Every structure is written in C-alpha cells, then in structure tokens.
Amino acid sequence: MATPVSTRKSPVSRTASDPKADLTHAARPDVTGDWDDVERHRRAADAVPMSAVRVCRVDPRLAFHNALDGRDAVLAVRDELDARQLPIDWEVISKLESLGRALVFAAGRVEADPMRSNEVLVGLHEARPLRALMLMNARAHALAGRCSRTEVDRIAQGRGAVDLAQDLVDLAFLHTNDGLTAAGSAVTDAQVRRAKALGSSLLTRINPAGHDRPSRLSNAQRDARALRDRLWTVFVDTYAEVERAAGALWGRQLSQRIPALQTRSVPRKREKADVPPVSPTV
C-alpha cells in the first residue's frame, strides 16, 4: 500500500492521464457526532444481519478522515466518472460524512462512563467490607448462642467473587431470620437490606465463564458496542462504493489515489542540509 504524503491540501481535480497526482488529505478538525447522526443511520445499522457484523477494532476518527479524503478524491473527478456512464451510487457516497460522525459518537459511548463500565468491580469493592462487618457480627452472636455457629462457619469459608456475593445474601437472611440487628448490634437494618440487594445484583452480573473475572461492561455499554459494530459495518460497506468508483477510474493505482480506512500519514524525512564548517573563535 502506498503511503500518502503528509502535506494536506484542498482536493484537486485528478484525471486518468495524471498518474503522478499525490493523495491529498485536507486538514480537518476533530470529528464529533451526536444522537441525530446515529438515528439517521440506525435503520441501516439494525438491518445488518448478525452474521455480517464486523467488530470495530480500529480508530474510528482516523477512518473518518481517511474516508472523507477518499470521498473528496472521487468527487473531484465525478464529471469524468459520469462521462464514462459508470454506475456510481453518489447518494450512498453522500452519506459517508454523517455516517462517520455516527460511528465516532457510538464508539465514544462504549467508554463514556468508566464507573459504570466497572460496576461489578465497584460492587465487589463495596461488598468486601460489608461482608466482613456482618460476618464479625454473626460470629459474636453465634458465641452468645443467638444463631447457628455451623452456619456462620459455612459462610466464612466462601472464596472468590461469586461466594462473596452469595455470602452477602446468606448473611442478610441470617441477620433477618435470627434478629441479629437488635439494640447493640454492630449491623443495622439498612446494612442488611443493602447486603441482600448488592449480593443479589452481583450474582446476576458476575461473568459465569470466569467467576473471578467479572465483566467490565455495563448493559448500556454492551448495547453501545453492538451499535458501534453495526455502524462500522455500514461505514465499511459505504466506503466500498468510493473504492469501487476509484478503482473503475484508476485501476491498479487505486491505493495511490485514495487512502485505506486505517492508513496513517507518515511524514517524509527531510534530507540533511550541508552545514558549512565553523571557523574557530579566537
């Protein structure tokens, strides 16, 4: 693949008789998007068959800028393409910019809230001291004969994230069933309710494939990731129309005329200028 030059200028007209024309890459501001862009292309994204969805493992902003360079390159020679009566879908190509904004916006939603992306880990962080407090309180009551010492010992043996969540549920039941939140107790009714709710929530969220490796993505972020991948699939298919137009005109010189979606510009090294010798200072 040819490496585009680093000098970025406005698109210029290129023809098939101009084989030495360089790729141009207009300087563009950082891309942003919004929900309007997403909604404009949601129907097309939802229509992508599950088996055809491509996982987006690229820099969407780089892909956006490269796609606009490719679009501008073929738009600059549209008259020549139309004169050859090539069946180019210009309406599809015209959607590339808003589609790219939608892709960038959707990709940003996947990591928009780092606290929610770690919601299981945050829950486990809260669960550990709460379990320790409730277990200590249960042991004290067990020594006084107010609850089953065997049950407390069983709960204390738990290890790992799943056991931690289950222990909260079991300790909440023990405290409620045996009345271990009476006056003088180290645990309050509010803490018992929190233990039950937190433990139950963690049991439904911890990754069953690896109990000690809970999922770091919230449900909202999983939805955002799925939407991002679908939009990326539509984006790639749309840019394929640009590549088809460029290929029809430039053939094997395609890669010299438009960039691939993940092409990065590499600045050309400047040749070292000859430096005249410096006379010694007296």
Side-chain angles (χ1 to χ4, degrees):
M1 180 180 295
T3 302
V5 296
S6 59
T7 303
R8 305 294 173 92
K9 300 178 181 179
S10 300
V12 296
S13 178
R14 306 176 186 84
T15 64
S17 60
D18 183 18
K20 295 184 180 181
D22 289 330
L23 290 176
T24 62
H25 195 324
R28 307 182 193 277
D30 189 24
V31 57
T32 58
D34 53 36
W35 281 116
D36 290 339
D37 293 313
V38 172
E39 292 303 322
R40 191 173 295 119
H41 301 283
R42 185 181 290 275
R43 179 177 295 181
D46 290 342
V48 177
M50 193 66 185
S51 59
V53 173
R54 298 178 176 89
V55 178
C56 181
R57 295 190 177 94
V58 302
D59 180 352
R61 285 180 168 80
L62 176 62
F64 172 84
H65 291 303
N66 283 334
L68 292 198
D69 286 348
R71 178 204 64 181
D72 292 348
V74 297
L75 287 178
V77 293
R78 179 173 179 175
D79 291 344
E80 187 170 353
L81 288 166
D82 288 341
R84 297 189 181 191
Q85 297 183 343
L86 298 173
I88 307 301
D89 194 334
W90 297 108
E91 183 179 355
V92 168
I93 293 176
S94 69
K95 298 176 182 179
L96 200 58
E97 184 169 357
S98 64
L99 180 57
R101 290 197 304 266
L103 170 64
V104 171
F105 183 79
R109 298 309 93 194
V110 177
E111 299 296 338
D113 189 349
M115 287 300 294
R116 290 194 63 190
S117 67
N118 282 327
E119 59 187 6
V120 173
L121 300 181
V122 170
L124 292 174
H125 182 72
E126 179 187 356
R128 292 186 183 96
L130 182 56
R131 174 187 181 273
L133 173 65
M134 297 182 70
L135 188 57
M136 177 189 67
N137 190 62
R139 280 173 169 161
H141 282 286
L143 289 174
R146 299 190 186 98
C147 65
S148 170
R149 185 169 182 173
T150 301
E151 177 64 7
V152 174
D153 289 342
R154 182 193 67 80
I155 295 173
Q157 293 175 359
R159 295 290 185 274
V162 172
D163 283 336
L164 173 58
Q166 186 61 54
D167 288 350
L168 287 183
V169 175
D170 293 343
L171 285 167
F173 175 79
L174 186 68
H175 279 70
T176 301
N177 191 58
D178 293 341
L180 305 185
T181 57
S185 173
V187 176
T188 65
D189 290 333
Q191 288 172 319
V192 171
R193 290 193 296 271
R194 178 56 183 161
K196 181 180 179 180
L198 180 58
S200 300
S201 175
L202 287 172
L203 286 173
T204 63
R205 293 176 182 273
I206 294 174
N207 181 5
H211 294 167
D212 293 324
R213 298 187 300 276
S215 173
R216 294 173 180 267
L217 291 178
S218 66
N219 291 334
Q221 287 175 306
R222 290 191 188 93
D223 293 341
R225 183 170 58 182
L227 177 60
R228 176 205 63 188
D229 292 345
R230 288 181 171 275
L231 286 169
W232 168 245
T233 302
V234 177
F235 188 76
V236 171
D237 291 343
T238 301
Y239 192 63
E241 187 67 17
V242 173
E243 293 174 322
R244 193 170 70 85
L249 185 59
W250 294 310
R252 293 182 178 180
Q253 295 181 351
L254 167 68
S255 62
Q256 301 174 19
R257 305 299 183 127
I258 67 171
L261 289 177
Q262 284 298 288
T263 295
R264 292 186 182 275
S265 297
V266 179
R268 290 177 176 174
K269 293 182 179 180
R270 295 182 179 180
E271 296 181 359
K272 294 182 179 180
D274 293 333
V275 180
V278 179
S279 300
T281 303
V282 178

